[in-house]
Amino acid sequence: MLSKIVIHNYRTFREFELDFDPEMNILVGDNDAGKSTILEAIELGLTGKLRGRPLYQDLSPYLFHQDAVSEWIADLREGRAVPPPEIIIDLFLDSTPEAATLRGNNNLLKADEPGVRIRVALNPDYEAEYKEFIKKPDEVRLIPTEYYKVDWLAFDGNGVTFRSIPASASLIDAANIHLQSGVDYYMKHIIDSRLKADERVKLTRAYRSLRETFAQDESIVKINGDLRGTSNDVSDRELTLNIDVSQKSSWESGIVPHLDDLPFQFVGKGEQSTLKILLALNKKVDDAHIVLVEEPENHLSFPNLGKLVKKISKKCEDQQVFITTHSSFVLNKLGLDKLVLLSPGGGFRIDRLPTSTQEYFKKLSGYDTLRLVLAKRSILVEGPSDELVVQRAYMDTHDGTLPAENGIDVINVRGLSFKRFLDIAMLLPGNRVAVITDNDGKEARDVRQRYANYTASANITVHVGKDANFKTMEPQLFKANGRVTMNAVLGQNFTTDQDLLDHMKKHKTDCALAIFESDQLINMPEYIKEAVDAVS
């Protein structure tokens, strides 16, 4: 299995290092954080191929980290003689007898461990051409990859092949299904793993016999009779129609899998995606097998996603699985302890959560844990009505802009879940999180004290209504605005404070929506303003 990856100058990553879990790795991150790049780099290290083709055939200037390229160009234009950028991907393997031949210290960490390396560097054979190329630095715009070479090496410095690496990989991109190549690959896997040698011979003979009988069909005999009598301006030879029965047109390319008698390529993408993922997980090989899955939630309904995730969790035994996802359902079911949060600057695991919190989120799969993980700034509220009011409070102080438009996520966590979410927030010091909670008739300082362990982290603040006589958000809004204003906002005409308060408590969501949509000037309670300021 893989134990670690170290990357230098490849795509999103300038310098990157990440340890792997031996079983499950769930990669999450914002757009362009490098989730797909990690899967791509793993596949490159194990196969030497990029998108199914040898890397040297698809070498592009845009595979290099753009900051490294910009610095190289700047150095050239300032007259400094610097070597051109290189790409290095180091994959570290577990120390097993099978990987012993790959051991060495030819890696970025200079560690004496087994592993393989992809190195893209200037080819010494083109040194003269390269020097001529950089004589006019003002004309240099991109890396001259035509002067580069790709080395696929073990950590001992020797070249490797597929056979010398005791690990194989299957990359399944659920969003990009190439029907025919996918069918061929997986059909071949089924055949190789299930059919005996004599069964393959029988199948080949049967398939050829069927093709040979094609020409004996009455309609084909008639057509060929007509063709024989046709003059041919191209050749003097006799023209007929038949099926190629040569070895190159074997049954592997003519037989395709069917699901309920429907050819695979005509099955829905969700079913195709599920089938490919499960076939990859079912793959039985003598060496370690790595399964790389791109966003399994694509093309799947929620019930079918649930079935797939359950099967993935059962079938990943003895295999190492890497999954990228934006789905809290996938994350919660497969385990927060397996989460790897990625950014261009690095990656780290959230495996330090209390066990009770991990179990809590596994059971409550509908909770948007990834919203908190991915958002740089969040406001946690107790319910849907609170969410609407907070959004209105933000809009009032930001020229009508919604929080989401400025990258702030207002998340309804249903009150009692605050501490569960804050367990996650404590491990994300770069993410600012503000909590808005009711005092429920208690002093604000006592409520805040319940969260003292969390607010010790600089990125977490807790905001509570100060007057214990106004227990929830609705009375707090009433206190800040009065009966006349709230009647106008809600379109009501209550004559007593108590009647209006009772109405607001009984119709929380309707009142919150009216507040959110109102053109009336509304005074927000101070603790809500403070929470908005804390993340702004």
Side-chain angles (χ1 to χ4, degrees), residues 261-277:
D261 296 327
L262 193 64
F264 184 78
Q265 60 264 42
F266 292 102
V267 175
K269 286 188 176 181
E271 191 71 36
Q272 293 176 27
S273 173
T274 299
L275 179 62
K276 289 187 174 188
I277 292 171

Side-chain angles (χ1 to χ4, degrees), residues 267-483:
V267 175
K269 286 188 176 181
E271 191 71 36
Q272 293 176 27
S273 173
T274 299
L275 179 62
K276 289 187 174 188
I277 292 171
L278 295 178
L279 282 172
L281 288 170
N282 278 332
K283 190 172 184 180
K284 301 297 182 184
V285 290
D286 294 332
D287 51 28
H289 185 51
I290 318 299
V291 180
L292 312 170
V293 184
E294 276 270 25
E295 299 184 4
E297 63 267 26
N298 284 332
H299 309 301
L300 292 179
S301 65
F302 191 80
N304 286 330
L305 177 60
K307 294 177 185 177
L308 174 61
V309 170
K310 184 177 180 179
K311 290 178 181 178
I312 290 175
S313 63
K314 286 184 176 180
K315 291 179 176 293
C316 64
E317 187 176 345
D318 298 327
Q319 301 189 67
Q320 192 174 24
V321 181
F322 294 81
I323 294 179
T324 67
T325 186
H326 286 111
S327 167
S328 289
F329 181 90
V330 174
L331 170 62
N332 291 345
K333 285 302 183 185
L334 294 180
L336 279 172
D337 57 318
K338 306 301 184 182
L339 170 64
V340 179
L341 182 62
L342 291 177
S343 70
F348 66 90
R349 302 186 163 279
I350 304 186
D351 55 4
R352 291 172 286 161
L353 286 173
T355 302
S356 60
T357 296
Q358 295 180 34
E359 292 301 320
Y360 178 82
F361 281 116
K362 284 184 181 180
K363 294 173 183 175
L364 296 178
S365 59
Y367 274 37
D368 291 323
T369 49
L370 276 185
R371 289 176 61 183
L372 182 68
V373 169
L374 297 177
K376 297 300 182 185
R377 295 174 289 168
S378 303
I379 302 176
L380 307 185
V381 298
E382 294 189 30
S385 57
D386 303 48
E387 182 180 346
L388 285 168
V389 172
V390 169
Q391 296 215 47
R392 170 60 189 265
Y394 186 91
M395 293 168 64
D396 285 348
T397 56
H398 292 80
D399 299 323
T401 301
L402 287 167
E405 295 173 333
N406 283 338
I408 298 172
D409 204 350
V410 182
I411 306 173
N412 168 21
V413 299
R414 303 175 192 175
L416 296 178
S417 306
F418 279 136
K419 290 187 177 182
R420 304 298 187 182
F421 278 81
L422 293 180
D423 282 336
I424 297 175
M426 288 183 69
L427 300 179
L428 303 169
N431 292 22
R432 277 185 280 167
V433 179
V435 172
I436 295 177
T437 183
D438 298 329
N439 63 46
D440 294 324
K442 300 179 178 65
E443 292 297 325
R445 64 175 178 272
D446 295 333
V447 177
R448 284 194 291 268
Q449 184 59 34
R450 297 205 304 260
Y451 299 97
N453 290 338
Y454 299 103
T455 53
S457 297
N459 64 313
I460 298 173
T461 56
V462 174
H463 307 271
V464 191
K466 295 182 176 63
D467 192 335
N469 293 318
F470 297 83
K471 299 179 181 180
T472 62
M473 183 173 286
E474 288 75 25
Q476 291 283 346
L477 284 164
F478 178 84
K479 178 186 177 183
N481 293 277
R483 175 160 45 91

